[in-house]
Amino acid sequence: MALLKVKFNQKKRVKLAQGLWLMNWFSVFAGILVFSMGLFLKIELRKRSEVMDNSESHFVPNSLILMGILSCAFNGFAGKICYDSLDPAKFAKWKPLLKPYLALCFFFNILIFFIALICFLMRGSLDSTLAQGLKNGMKFYRDTDTPGRCFMKKTIDMLQIEFKCCGNNGFKDWFEIQWISNRYLDFSSKEVKDRIKSNVDGRYLVDGVPFSCCNPSSPRPCIQYQVTNNSAHYSYDYQTEELNLWRRGCREALLHYYSSMMSSMGAVVLLVWLFEMAVMVGLRLLHTSLESITNPEDPECESEGWILENSLKDTFKSALENLKKIGKFNQVEADAEGAGGEEGGKTPAITTVS
């Protein structure tokens, strides 16, 4: 028994073809939207590529861009088929291509669904990428005189100001690295010498943060040095008082920004996937309804359209049997080749009579 069998007359076939033509052009615009989203996400990721450890995060935007291009191509082609199906003479040339095209559409829809899932599941990979990238970026904050790294200070400062964050996981991350360049340290000062000597690696570590960590909304002037020294500031307790520094780490801020963006894009891609599935089902019904016309000379006759010629169970069994046949055929060929090799390897025995 065929799956989702529907009876069609000429009027219904024309309406289905016209509706599918319109849906395909909507899908083309949806493909342009997906392409634009991928391009936007790629630009946003490239803006902060200096604080990302690898290029794995670009898999999502690259996939969206590719999917958008393929969607425009597939749906533009399907729109042409639907338009030509209104004329039996024009539709005849598309008949041999429809089955392969529908098979491609099926795999294309699987790809769309996979990309939608990836948009939702990239959070873990993005988290590790940002954590390592920000850690490395903070180490190069002081290298304003080093070629290739001189831009890192500006990048980190702009990042902390824009996203209202401080450090990797929090402001205390700045206490563990030397973020002040040696160029601006007075090595004749006893305080500087003591701090460098007290550190095993010979680094100048302070309980301070860059100016970009300061919260401009705080009524108190920014305390960016001696943050943990209560006696250095009047009426101050860094453990109980709400500091005038950004509390949130930049890893969390960026992760939230990109994750929410990718989740929104994943939801849009899922909607596109549902729309593409509807188009594929409609195109299959149109294809089968036109093929099952008993009298091609009478365009007004009734016909039947279906999704699968047999039930889902029977179709699955048939596919398994075909796969088994292909496997047996390959095995027979391999055995034949092996037998031929053995026969060729045998040498006839030669007896000599003395």
Side-chain angles (χ1 to χ4, degrees):
M1 183 178 176
L3 180 67
L4 198 63
K5 185 182 285 188
V6 183
K7 283 190 176 182
F8 288 92
N9 54 29
Q10 186 189 21
K11 189 177 179 180
K12 284 185 178 180
R13 287 193 295 268
V14 169
K15 281 187 176 180
L16 178 61
Q18 289 174 340
L20 283 172
W21 178 82
L22 190 62
M23 288 176 71
N24 275 295
W25 284 110
F26 275 123
S27 295
V28 169
F29 289 119
I32 294 170
L33 174 63
V34 171
F35 175 84
S36 303
M37 288 193 308
L39 196 62
F40 174 75
L41 181 58
K42 192 170 184 69
I43 292 169
E44 284 295 303
L45 288 169
R46 282 198 174 276
K47 279 182 185 177
R48 298 165 189 96
S49 58
E50 297 89 354
V51 293
M52 293 185 177
D53 186 46
N54 53 46
S55 58
E56 286 179 12
S57 53
H58 287 273
F59 175 76
V60 172
N62 290 341
S63 300
L64 290 173
I65 290 169
L66 176 63
M67 195 191 77
I69 294 170
L70 289 176
S71 180
C72 291
F74 272 93
N75 289 293
F77 182 71
K80 174 64 175 171
I81 293 174
C82 294
Y83 182 78
D84 286 349
S85 65
L86 298 171
D87 184 352
K90 289 182 179 179
F91 180 73
K93 65 180 180 181
W94 297 116
K95 275 188 177 181
L97 298 174
L98 271 172
K99 278 189 177 179
Y101 175 75
L102 285 167
L104 284 174
C105 284
F106 177 73
F107 288 110
F108 176 63
N109 285 326
I110 292 174
L111 176 65
I112 293 176
F113 186 73
F114 174 72
I115 292 170
L117 287 181
I118 291 295
C119 287
F120 293 109
L121 300 175
M122 274 295 289
R123 184 183 176 90
S125 175
L126 191 61
D127 189 9
S128 59
T129 296
L130 286 168
Q132 192 59 41
L134 282 166
K135 187 178 178 181
N136 294 334
M138 288 170 65
K139 286 179 182 178
F140 302 143
Y141 183 88
R142 63 173 181 168
D143 296 339
T144 52
D145 298 326
T146 307
R149 298 178 187 171
C150 54
F151 58 85
M152 190 56 73
K153 179 185 180 299
K154 180 182 177 182
T155 300
I156 297 291
D157 283 333
M158 293 301 294
L159 178 68
Q160 293 187 147
I161 292 169
E162 182 182 352
F163 286 91
K164 299 179 180 180
C165 59
C166 185
N168 191 347
N169 299 305
F171 67 91
K172 288 187 178 180
D173 292 336
W174 289 107
F175 301 172
E176 300 171 4
I177 61 170
Q178 181 182 337
W179 54 273
I180 301 174
S181 174
N182 289 337
R183 180 182 178 183
Y184 304 107
L185 294 176
D186 182 9
F187 287 96
S188 63
S189 169
K190 185 177 182 301
E191 182 190 351
V192 173
K193 288 179 181 179
D194 290 343
R195 282 191 178 275
I196 291 174
K197 285 179 182 179
S198 64
N199 187 268
V200 178
D201 299 328
R203 295 178 297 168
Y204 180 75
L205 303 181
V206 292
D207 57 341
V209 296
F211 79 96
S212 52
C213 283
C214 296
N215 182 357
S217 301
S218 174
R220 181 169 189 158
C222 185
I223 297 173
Q224 65 180 109
Y225 293 106
Q226 295 184 324
V227 176
T228 58
N229 187 357
N230 291 335
S231 60
H233 312 284
Y234 176 73
S235 184
Y236 175 77
D237 186 352
Y238 87 96
Q239 291 182 326
T240 58
E241 185 179 345
E242 187 176 344
L243 299 179
N244 51 8
L245 304 176
W246 301 120
R247 290 280 188 165
R248 188 168 61 162
C250 290
R251 179 185 59 83
E252 181 188 346
L254 284 171
L255 186 63
H256 175 74
Y257 175 72
Y258 285 119
S259 296
S260 59
M261 189 186 296
M262 286 185 183
S263 296
S264 301
M265 290 180 179
V268 172
V269 174
L270 274 179
L271 290 174
V272 172
W273 173 72
L274 289 172
F275 200 74
E276 291 284 352
M277 287 293 291
V279 170
M280 185 180 72
V281 169
L283 192 61
R284 174 62 176 168
L285 286 172
L286 180 65
H287 168 224
T288 51
S289 66
L290 288 169
E291 277 200 334
S292 62
I293 292 175
T294 52
N295 185 10
E297 295 180 358
D298 181 16
E300 294 185 2
C301 68
E302 289 190 348
S303 62
E304 289 184 340
W306 56 82
I307 303 300
L308 295 175
E309 194 169 357
N310 301 312
S311 66
L312 194 63
K313 186 179 179 182
D314 292 338
T315 304
F316 184 70
K317 283 182 178 178
S318 176
L320 282 178
E321 286 175 4
N322 289 333
L323 287 172
K324 286 178 182 177
K325 285 178 182 177
I326 292 169
K328 286 179 181 178
F329 179 74
N330 290 336
Q331 189 177 358
V332 168
E333 279 192 341
D335 291 343
E337 286 177 5
E342 286 178 5
E343 288 175 5
K346 289 178 181 179
T347 55
I350 300 172
T351 54
T352 57
V353 179
S354 57

